[in-house]
Amino acid sequence: MRRRSKERRGGGREEVYGTSEEEKECIVFKGTMGEGMVSAEKQVMVSSRLWKCLRVMLVLLVIIAILLAIALVIVIIKRSEKPFCREGKTVIPRNLDKPGIFEDLTPNEMRIVRDYMQAQKGLDLRPYNKAILNSSYIYLIDLHLPIKAGVLKYLDGGHREPERAAKVVLYRGDMNPPRVEEYHVGPLPRPRYHRLVANPIYRRIPIPFTSRPVDQVEYNHLYAMISDITKTLYPILMDTYRLSYHNCTKGVDCMLFYDVAPRGIKSNERKSWFWAFRGVEGFYLHPLGFEIQINHESVNVSDWSVTKLVYNGQLFYSVNAFDDAYRRNRIKKVQLFMDKYDSVYSSYKRRGLNNYDVPVRGPRLVEPDGRRYSIDGQHVQYFGWNFNFRARTSTGLQLFDIRFQGERIAYEISLQDAIVYYTGYGPVAGSTNYFDTSWLLGASSFELMPGVDCPATATFHDAYHFAGSAEPLHYKNSICIFEQNSGLPLRRHYANDFMGGYGFYGGLVDNYLVIRTIANIWNYDYIFDYIFHLNGVVEIKVSLTGYVQSTYGLPQERAYGNFIYSDVIATLHQHLFHYKVDMDIAGAKNRFAKVDISTETISHPWYPGRNKTQMKFTKRDKQTEKDAILEYDFDKPGYSVIYNAKAENNWGVQRGYRIQHKAMSKFVLDGVDVTQAAGWSKYQLAVTRFQDVEETSSSIYAQNDPFDPVVDFRRFLDNDEPIVDEDLVLWLTAGVHHIPHAEDVPSTTTTGNQYNIFLRPYNYFDECPSTTVSDAVHAQPSAHYEEIKIDTFGVAEGSNCFANEIPFSVFNGSRSPA
C-alpha cells in the first residue's frame, strides 16, 4: 500500500491510503480549522457495488424477519390448536403369504386354484372371458373350511394346522344333460387333488343347470336379445315414453331393463321377466308398465324366445302381436312423459324446505387415546373379546372362534340367507321373491363411505372374491370395524336418599365394538352388524335401507300397496333373515332349555286364610330337535337358554347364555310352493345337533328353483336327533312385514327398521363382567356435601385432540381386479 499526502483546503493535509483510483473515491476526509479551535467534518463515500451489496443484505434481512414473524404466528396457532389423536392399538394388514385358518382365500390362492382346475384335461374348462353357455367354466372359487373337530384340535390342543382348501363351482354347459358341479381343491398353495363332491344335505344331485345363478355370460345374450326387441319396438317406445334402449343418450332418454326371479312358476323352468324403468337416479321408483318374459332354458341361444309381453296391463304372447295391436290401435295406449325436473323425486339430492337446516357439521366420533381395539389380519381383539372374521362370497360376513375373557362362547355366527317375499297383481310385482344368497351377498358388499356408512375414524378392510370373473376381484374398504359410544350408560345408579341428597352415583358408558358390511341387492341395502358389548353380550343386528320396489300403478295393484308418486305403487312385502349361531358354552357339550314363565295361586305363607297369585318360572330341557322348535307364542312367555349342565358359576348355578330374540316376524306363507327353499322361514328359532355337512341352511341355487330346492332346511330337523349334552347349533330367523308409504321416498330409512338378536350371559359369570372396565365414573359425596369425590379409575377426562378422519374423497365405489 502506498502512502501519499496532499494539501487540503483550509491549510490541512489529507492522508490517503490506497492502491487504485477506485479506493481514492471510497474515503475522503475533510477538515476545517478556525481560530482558537479545530472543527472536523468527515464524509464517507461508498462505491456503487458495495451499496448494491448493502441493499441486497437489507432486503434479505427484511425477508428473514417476515419469515420469522410468520413462523412465530404459526407456532402460536399450532400451540393453541389441538393435535390429531394418536392411533392407539395396532392394525396389522393381512399376511397374504401366510393366511390364518379362518382367513379368506388370497388373490394368489384363487389364481392357483383357477390355473390348476383349468389345467385338468378331463374337465375341459374354458377361461371365463372365453366361456359360452354350452361350455364348461369356473363360476365361483371360495374357501372350504376344514371340519370343526380338526380346527378345535389345532386351536385348543396344539395339533397341526389343517390344510387349506377351496370350494369350486363349475358350470358344465357342455355335458348332457348340463349341470352344476362342486369340487374341493387342495391343499393350498400347492394343490394335488380336485374332488367332485356331493354334499349329503343336497336333495338334488346332479345340481340342475336351471337352478344356477345367472352370470355375465348369460346376461350378455339376454341383453342382446332385449336390444333387438326394443329396436323393433322403437317407434312404440318413443311414442309412449319418449325413451329408447338400443340407441339412447345416457341421462337424457334411456330406459333400463332389469330381471326378477324366480325364473318361472315351477321347477326346472328358466323364464325370466325383465321390466322397464326410466333411466334416472333412483330408477326403481320409475316403472313404465312394460315387461318382457324370455325363455332361456336351453344352452343354445338360438332356442331362446319371448314368451310374454305386458304393456299397460295388457298381455301379448309375441313381439309381433304387440307391435301389430299397437299400430292398429287395438290397445289401450298410455303416454308417460317426464322432464328432468319432475324426475328428481327419486334422487338423493338435497331438496325441500331449507329453513330448518343450516349446512354445518354434525357430531363426530373422537377416540382421545386412539383406537382401543387391535387387528391382526382378520383377527380382532377388543377388551376381553377375541374373534376372527371372513367374507364368504355367497352369504357375506362370518365370525369364528368368538371368545370372551379367554373362553370360547361361539364357534361360528353367520348370516345364511336374506329373502324378500313380494305381493302384487302384475306379472313382475306378483311373482317376485328374492333369495339373496343366490345373488351373492358377500360379492354384493361394496366399498363403504367413511363418515356415513361407518365413522370416519373406523378401520376399513378389503375383501377379495372370485365369482363370475376371469380374475379375483378386489372390494376396497368393504368391511369396517369401529368402537362406538351408544349415548347411553351401560349401567348406572343414583342412590337417592329421599332427603334431597344421595349416597353415591355410579355409571358406566356403553361403548361397544362393531364389525359391519353393507350388501346391496338390487334395490335394497342391508346393513349387517355384529356388536360386542362390554358386559359379554353379542348383538346380531340388521338395518334396512335403500329403495322400495315399485310397480306401475294399475288399478288392480291398489289392494297390495300405496301410491308413492303419480302412477307408481310400492307393494307389501316381508323381509326374512336367517342366522346360524354355533354356541359352545364352557365346551361343546350343551343343553337347550325353555324357561317358561307362568302363574300360580298358592296359600299365602304369611297371611293365613288368604291366597296369593304370582309369577313363577320353570326350566324345561328340550330333548330332541323337533322338541326345540320355537314358533313364538305370545301367550307363553319365557326365556330360551343354552347352557352347560356340568359347569357352574360360584353360586352353584349352571352357566349359560340366553337368546333374546327381538326381531320375530310371523310367517304367513307356510306351504306356498315358492317358499320351499326357505323352510326355515316359519321357525323363529330351531336347534340342531352340529353336523359338518349342515354348513348352510340355504344355497346359491335357491333363487332359480325354490319349488324343488337343492337345500331344504326342514330336512335338518327330520331325523329329530337328541340334543342333550351335544354340540348344538341355533338357527334364528329375524324379519319384518313392510307396507311401503310415501315417506319411503326417496328410500327407506333405518329409523324403525333395525332388527336385533341378543346373545346374553345367563349365569355365565359371577357378576357383570363389565365391572373390570375402566369407562366408569363413581361420585361419592362427603357427609355434608362439602366435597364430591369423583373417581374415573385412571381414565382422563375430556378430549385434547382432533379425530384423524378419513375424507370422503377416498371413496371410489367400484370393484377392481385384484
Side-chain angles (χ1 to χ4, degrees):
M1 180 179 291
R2 300 188 305 273
R3 177 178 177 182
R4 295 180 289 113
S5 64
K6 67 176 182 178
E7 295 293 330
R8 64 182 178 186
R9 285 184 300 179
R13 295 190 64 84
E14 179 180 79
E15 299 293 334
V16 179
Y17 293 81
T19 58
S20 65
E21 291 298 316
E22 182 179 301
E23 287 176 323
K24 297 177 187 177
E25 300 177 34
C26 288
I27 304 174
V28 178
F29 291 93
K30 290 184 178 181
T32 59
M33 295 182 61
E35 187 176 16
M37 64 176 294
V38 176
S39 67
E41 179 186 5
K42 296 180 181 180
Q43 179 177 350
V44 179
M45 297 182 67
V46 181
S47 73
S48 58
R49 180 179 296 179
L50 184 57
W51 176 240
K52 288 179 182 179
C53 295
L54 292 173
R55 282 189 296 175
V56 169
M57 292 179 62
L58 182 61
V59 170
L60 289 174
L61 288 173
V62 171
I63 292 172
I64 292 171
I66 293 172
L67 292 175
L68 289 172
I70 293 172
L72 181 62
V73 171
I74 291 173
V75 168
I76 294 172
I77 292 174
K78 287 294 184 182
R79 289 198 172 187
S80 63
E81 285 184 347
K82 296 179 181 179
F84 283 122
C85 300
R86 60 176 181 259
E87 292 185 356
K89 292 193 173 181
T90 58
V91 172
I92 302 174
R94 283 188 66 187
N95 183 351
L96 297 179
D97 296 324
K98 191 177 180 181
I101 190 169
F102 296 114
E103 291 190 1
D104 293 297
L105 293 179
T106 67
N108 191 48
E109 286 177 318
M110 293 176 183
R111 293 187 185 97
I112 288 171
V113 172
R114 177 201 62 193
D115 295 344
Y116 171 83
M117 291 296 285
Q118 290 181 172
Q120 305 307 310
K121 295 181 179 179
L123 296 175
D124 193 24
L125 300 180
R126 288 195 180 193
Y128 190 84
N129 52 8
K130 296 180 180 179
I132 57 176
L133 280 176
N134 57 2
S135 68
S136 288
Y137 58 92
I138 297 171
Y139 170 65
L140 183 148
I141 301 174
D142 201 0
L143 177 70
H144 173 63
L145 284 167
I147 63 173
K148 180 179 178 180
V151 174
L152 294 183
K153 286 180 181 179
Y154 165 67
L155 294 176
D156 301 337
H159 287 228
R160 182 172 60 88
E161 181 177 355
E163 295 177 331
R164 284 171 67 80
K167 177 180 178 179
V168 181
V169 177
L170 302 184
Y171 285 179
R172 307 301 304 274
D174 56 354
M175 297 186 74
N176 188 20
R179 65 195 63 181
V180 177
E181 292 180 342
E182 295 183 352
Y183 286 79
H184 291 168
V185 179
L188 300 179
R190 289 174 288 277
R192 297 188 300 271
Y193 65 81
H194 59 287
R195 299 170 185 152
L196 176 64
V197 293
N199 193 319
I201 67 171
Y202 284 7
R203 297 175 59 253
R204 304 180 69 183
I205 296 293
I207 301 167
F209 203 58
T210 51
S211 68
R212 75 193 188 282
V214 179
D215 70 338
Q216 201 59 49
V217 173
E218 192 170 7
Y219 273 129
N220 288 340
H221 294 295
L222 286 166
Y223 279 104
M225 192 169 179
I226 288 174
S227 182
D228 290 340
I229 294 167
T230 56
K231 192 179 299 183
T232 300
L233 300 176
Y234 178 78
I236 298 176
L237 300 178
M238 292 301 294
D239 185 51
T240 302
Y241 310 114
R242 291 181 183 165
L243 303 172
S244 65
Y245 179 76
H246 74 284
N247 65 343
C248 67
T249 301
K250 186 177 180 180
V252 178
D253 60 350
C254 284
M255 65 192 314
L256 307 174
F257 284 89
Y258 288 92
D259 58 324
V260 298
R263 303 178 191 280
I265 58 173
K266 62 182 181 181
S267 181
N268 296 320
E269 284 192 334
R270 202 166 179 85
K271 299 175 180 177
S272 296
W273 280 102
F274 286 79
W275 52 345
F277 298 87
R278 190 178 305 279
V280 297
E281 182 176 320
F283 63 86
Y284 318 93
L285 306 186
H286 294 265
L288 299 174
F290 181 60
E291 300 157 5
I292 303 169
Q293 187 186 59
I294 298 175
N295 183 336
H296 53 116
E297 293 171 8
S298 174
V299 295
N300 296 310
V301 179
S302 59
D303 295 334
W304 293 5
S305 62
V306 173
T307 52
K308 289 182 175 67
L309 189 150
V310 172
Y311 171 89
N312 190 28
Q314 300 157 93
L315 177 63
F316 302 88
Y317 290 95
S318 70
V319 174
N320 290 337
F322 168 55
D323 186 47
D324 183 68
Y326 194 95
R327 293 177 185 278
R328 293 173 181 270
N329 291 317
R330 294 176 180 174
I331 189 172
K332 185 178 179 181
K333 300 180 179 180
V334 292
Q335 287 189 322
L336 300 178
F337 306 150
M338 181 177 288
D339 63 37
K340 63 180 181 180
Y341 301 103
D342 289 334
S343 67
V344 297
Y345 75 87
S346 61
S347 80
Y348 262 61
K349 293 180 179 177
R350 187 170 181 257
R351 57 187 181 273
L353 297 175
N354 293 334
N355 53 328
Y356 300 108
D357 177 48
V358 177
V360 294
R361 289 168 292 183
R364 288 290 207 269
L365 179 64
V366 177
E367 297 167 305
D369 297 312
R371 69 179 75 89
R372 304 197 298 176
Y373 57 89
S374 62
I375 303 175
D376 187 353
Q378 291 179 222
H379 177 80
V380 180
Q381 183 173 355
Y382 172 68
F383 287 87
W385 288 107
N386 283 272
F387 62 89
N388 301 274
F389 69 91
R390 69 169 295 246
R392 183 161 57 189
T393 299
S394 58
T395 63
L397 194 61
Q398 291 180 281
L399 306 184
F400 288 99
D401 195 24
I402 300 102
R403 303 183 186 219
F404 187 66
Q405 294 187 354
E407 292 188 272
R408 181 178 300 111
I409 290 172
Y411 179 74
E412 177 187 355
I413 303 176
S414 63
L415 180 71
Q416 302 295 291
D417 209 343
I419 62 178
V420 193
Y421 293 122
Y422 279 94
T423 187
Y425 168 77
V428 172
S431 65
T432 301
N433 297 283
Y434 293 125
F435 297 76
D436 290 341
T437 288
S438 301
W439 302 84
L440 305 183
L441 284 157
S444 299
S445 300
F446 298 98
E447 184 177 358
L448 302 167
M449 175 66 80
V452 181
D453 295 330
C454 311
T457 53
T459 301
F460 290 85
H461 182 85
D462 298 348
Y464 300 90
H465 299 287
F466 193 112
S469 62
E471 292 284 340
L473 295 177
H474 175 213
Y475 289 68
K476 172 189 170 187
N477 292 351
S478 59
I479 300 169
C480 71
I481 301 170
F482 58 93
E483 187 180 9
Q484 179 74 46
N485 184 321
S486 70
L488 284 172
L490 180 63
R491 49 183 171 78
R492 61 92 69 186
H493 182 65
Y494 177 87
N496 184 3
D497 65 4
F498 301 100
M499 294 184 294
Y502 67 102
F504 77 95
Y505 167 86
L508 175 68
V509 180
D510 184 21
N511 294 315
Y512 50 74
L513 188 79
V514 181
I515 180 168
R516 170 178 294 169
T517 58
I518 303 179
N520 168 250
I521 304 294
W522 198 57
N523 57 318
Y524 264 106
D525 296 72
Y526 299 124
I527 304 171
F528 295 111
D529 289 344
Y530 296 102
I531 302 172
F532 297 87
H533 295 266
L534 298 176
N535 59 344
V537 172
V538 179
E539 181 182 351
I540 302 168
K541 180 179 177 181
V542 58
S543 305
L544 276 59
T545 182
Y547 286 89
V548 293
Q549 179 169 293
S550 65
T551 187
Y552 181 63
L554 296 171
Q556 298 91 333
E557 298 284 9
R558 296 178 183 178
Y560 308 107
N562 288 314
F563 276 100
I564 57 173
Y565 196 75
S566 176
D567 297 321
V568 180
I569 290 177
T571 57
L572 165 69
H573 54 280
Q574 183 179 23
H575 295 274
L576 291 168
F577 305 89
H578 202 220
Y579 286 93
K580 177 182 181 180
V581 181
D582 177 5
M583 299 201 74
D584 291 341
I585 304 301
K589 302 300 183 182
N590 295 157
R591 297 185 181 189
F592 178 76
K594 184 70 167 34
V595 182
D596 296 318
I597 298 173
S598 59
T599 60
E600 65 174 4
T601 300
I602 60 174
S603 297
H604 206 298
W606 307 108
Y607 294 91
R610 298 184 66 87
N611 291 333
K612 177 184 180 182
T613 300
Q614 61 186 1
M615 292 182 292
K616 61 177 292 187
F617 70 86
T618 305
K619 185 168 77 171
R620 305 180 190 277
D621 287 347
K622 300 298 182 179
Q623 302 298 309
T624 67
E625 292 174 334
K626 288 186 177 180
D627 187 33
I629 291 172
L630 174 64
E631 295 180 57
Y632 194 75
D633 185 349
F634 285 95
D635 293 328
K636 298 178 180 180
Y639 282 13
S640 297
V641 175
I642 183 169
Y643 72 98
N644 191 315
K646 297 180 180 179
E648 298 179 345
N649 65 14
N650 280 339
W651 322 125
V653 185
Q654 292 160 333
R655 302 176 70 195
Y657 257 70
R658 172 192 172 196
I659 297 87
Q660 186 178 9
H661 199 327
K662 300 176 72 68
M664 295 185 185
S665 180
K666 176 69 176 178
F667 183 59
V668 297
L669 297 174
D670 188 27
V672 177
D673 57 357
V674 77
T675 69
Q676 300 308 299
W680 47 265
S681 298
K682 64 182 291 185
Y683 308 124
Q684 287 80 43
L685 186 153
V687 182
T688 62
R689 191 169 74 174
F690 176 85
Q691 303 283 352
D692 279 296
V693 295
E694 293 176 352
E695 183 182 3
T696 59
S697 63
S698 186
S699 76
I700 62 173
Y701 314 109
Q703 177 67 86
N704 294 329
D705 198 343
F707 312 101
D708 189 10
V710 172
V711 175
D712 184 350
F713 174 75
R714 290 167 296 193
R715 295 184 69 192
F716 292 17
L717 307 171
D718 283 347
N719 54 6
D720 200 23
E721 291 184 293
I723 58 170
V724 177
D725 296 330
E726 298 286 354
D727 189 357
L728 302 182
V729 179
L730 308 176
W731 305 88
L732 302 162
T733 303
V736 64
H737 290 93
H738 184 192
I739 304 175
H741 44 85
E743 292 78 15
D744 283 315
V745 175
S747 67
T748 299
T749 56
T750 56
T751 307
N753 287 306
Q754 302 173 23
Y755 308 100
N756 315 71
I757 299 171
F758 294 89
L759 309 176
R760 301 179 57 181
Y762 186 77
N763 299 308
Y764 189 88
F765 302 99
D766 298 329
E767 62 179 350
C768 181
S770 67
T771 55
T772 65
V773 178
S774 57
D775 286 343
V777 175
H778 185 275
Q780 183 76 57
S782 61
H784 300 289
Y785 299 94
E786 300 95 344
E787 181 183 359
I788 308 296
K789 182 181 178 182
I790 296 179
D791 192 353
T792 61
F793 306 98
V795 176
E797 188 175 353
S799 175
N800 59 353
C801 61
F802 283 118
N804 194 0
E805 297 184 332
I806 301 172
F808 296 142
S809 58
V810 305
F811 183 81
N812 176 271
S814 63
R815 65 187 188 183
S816 60

